[in-house]
Amino acid sequence: MPASRSPDAGTLYIVATPIGNLGDISQRAIEVLDRVDCIAAEDTRHTQRLLQALGLHKPLLALHEHNERHKHEQVLERLAGGESIALVSDAGTPLISDPGFILVRAAREAGLPVVPMPGPCAIVTALSAAGLPTDRFTFEGFLPTKRKARHDALMALRSEPRTMVFYEAPHRIRETVDTLVEVMGGERPLVLARELTKAFETYYSGSAGQVVEQLAQDDYAEKGEYVVMLAGAPEQSDSEARAVDTDRLLATLLKEVPVKVAARLAAEITGEARNALYQRALELK
Ligand code: SAM
């Protein structure tokens, strides 16, 4: 317990740490890490190395995805008792594909102050230099690791108009980009940011098909961490959108009934000409 109640008493600080380059830690982050009573860290050994590099000494407690469900209560008790605690993850901003959500939600529900210390985050860092539209984007975290689930997750994003951002592990990057091409086609603009802020920072960019080639030619492609950024689906005119829907309808019907019946049912549902739908059904068959 701290000797006296400081202005920090009971405060939970959410502190962003570097994603590769130590120089990216903010002055405020260093001051807070130096000032708090304790640091809750995703991996205490990892954070110990950061503190050593900053010349700081501080008690650490482990708070990671496997213990957060029960450990957060202990952290809350300490905050309620007047301690100040900083939450850090291994890299970047806590809670962004990292632990901390359960703790932050509970601290807010308990009426305790939660104060963010902004800093590095791979999503924003990658987007800022990618050259893809950033006025609106959607962060999708890590795609599922199982092949079918990954394929289905991407299928669900096929018509997403905003730039899509994913995190990906190096050993899955080639497979993920191949699946992107399979689902979205080879023409979509795609940018991969590898090893951001580190010595071998690399951007791969072009059409998705070109990026597949770039990865194939790079012996180091499976080393390092990746942010994957895919341009959104081009805006469709009303008639194009209808055509896509009609194709989907016909394809579904064709699985169950003959071409002629499919065309008649599709005509009844959409109000489009039966002959045109019959021709289209023959093409799709
Ligand atoms: N909390 C972190 C943040 O704010 O970005 C993200 C943590 S998440 C567990 C780790 C993933 O972030 C990596 O697999 C990679 O996709 C991405 N990432 C983190 N650091 C990166 C870097 N230096 N370059 C590229 N991607 C990085």
Side-chain angles (χ1 to χ4, degrees):
M1 290 283 291
S4 62
R5 272 188 96 84
S6 72
D8 285 334
T11 303
L12 175 64
Y13 289 98
I14 311 302
V15 181
T17 58
I19 56 170
N21 188 323
L22 185 61
D24 291 335
I25 193 153
S26 77
Q27 193 55 42
R28 277 181 84 207
I30 297 173
E31 284 163 18
V32 161
L33 292 177
D34 190 25
R35 209 166 64 219
V36 289
D37 296 302
C38 172
I39 299 173
E42 184 182 6
D43 177 340
T44 53
R45 277 177 308 176
H46 187 98
T47 298
Q48 193 60 59
R49 285 197 290 276
L50 172 70
L51 295 180
Q52 245 161 28
L54 297 172
L56 302 177
H57 303 276
K58 200 57 65 176
L60 295 172
L61 69 88
L63 188 101
H64 44 70
E65 60 171 328
H66 304 295
N67 72 359
E68 187 179 1
R69 225 157 260 288
H70 66 269
K71 196 64 173 277
H72 78 279
E73 285 166 6
Q74 192 182 316
V75 178
L76 278 191
E77 274 168 30
R78 291 176 66 162
L79 289 166
E83 287 189 60
S84 57
I85 296 181
L87 173 71
V88 300
S89 59
D90 286 354
T93 302
L95 278 82
I96 306 300
S97 291
D98 267 340
F101 165 61
I102 295 171
L103 174 62
V104 169
R105 182 180 55 181
R108 287 214 165 272
E109 281 170 4
L112 293 161
V114 182
V115 178
M117 292 289 125
C121 178
I123 307 166
V124 174
T125 309
L127 273 176
S128 69
L132 290 175
T134 50
D135 49 342
R136 297 193 309 148
F137 64 87
T138 164
F139 174 54
E140 296 293 324
F142 287 93
L143 283 163
T145 51
K146 296 225 168 74
R147 203 178 145 64
K148 163 106 176 49
R150 188 152 22 136
H151 186 274
D152 292 350
L154 288 173
M155 278 301 278
L157 289 168
R158 242 171 19 151
S159 326
E160 170 58 60
R162 295 168 292 185
T163 295
M164 286 154 272
V165 185
F166 308 87
Y167 281 163
E168 193 50 285
H171 61 281
R172 268 196 293 273
I173 192 68
R174 291 186 206 270
E175 215 181 318
T176 291
V177 173
D178 287 348
T179 315
L180 275 175
V181 170
E182 201 180 304
V183 174
M184 313 272 185
E187 297 308 313
R188 281 269 192 115
L190 176 68
V191 181
L192 309 182
R194 183 172 73 103
E195 292 291 80
L196 288 163
T197 76
K198 302 185 196 177
F200 297 103
E201 179 176 281
T202 311
Y203 272 83
Y204 305 82
S205 67
S207 68
Q210 287 168 335
V211 170
V212 170
E213 294 300 315
Q214 291 167 24
L215 284 178
Q217 282 162 19
D218 188 341
D219 292 341
Y220 296 98
E222 293 195 8
K223 293 198 166 26
E225 303 183 280
Y226 278 91
V227 180
V228 176
M229 293 159 285
L230 181 71
E235 297 286 343
Q236 285 178 331
S237 66
D238 280 357
S239 60
E240 279 172 333
R242 263 203 311 277
V244 171
D245 284 345
T246 308
D247 276 2
R248 199 179 306 152
L249 174 63
L250 279 173
T252 309
L253 289 169
L254 285 169
K255 283 187 207 154
E256 307 293 336
V257 295
V259 173
K260 214 169 151 186
V261 181
R264 180 171 55 74
L265 291 173
E268 275 175 33
I269 294 167
T270 63
E272 291 179 39
R274 192 193 297 189
N275 278 353
L277 290 169
Y278 181 76
Q279 289 308 321
R280 184 66 186 142
L282 287 175
E283 287 163 18
L284 291 173
K285 184 82 181 157

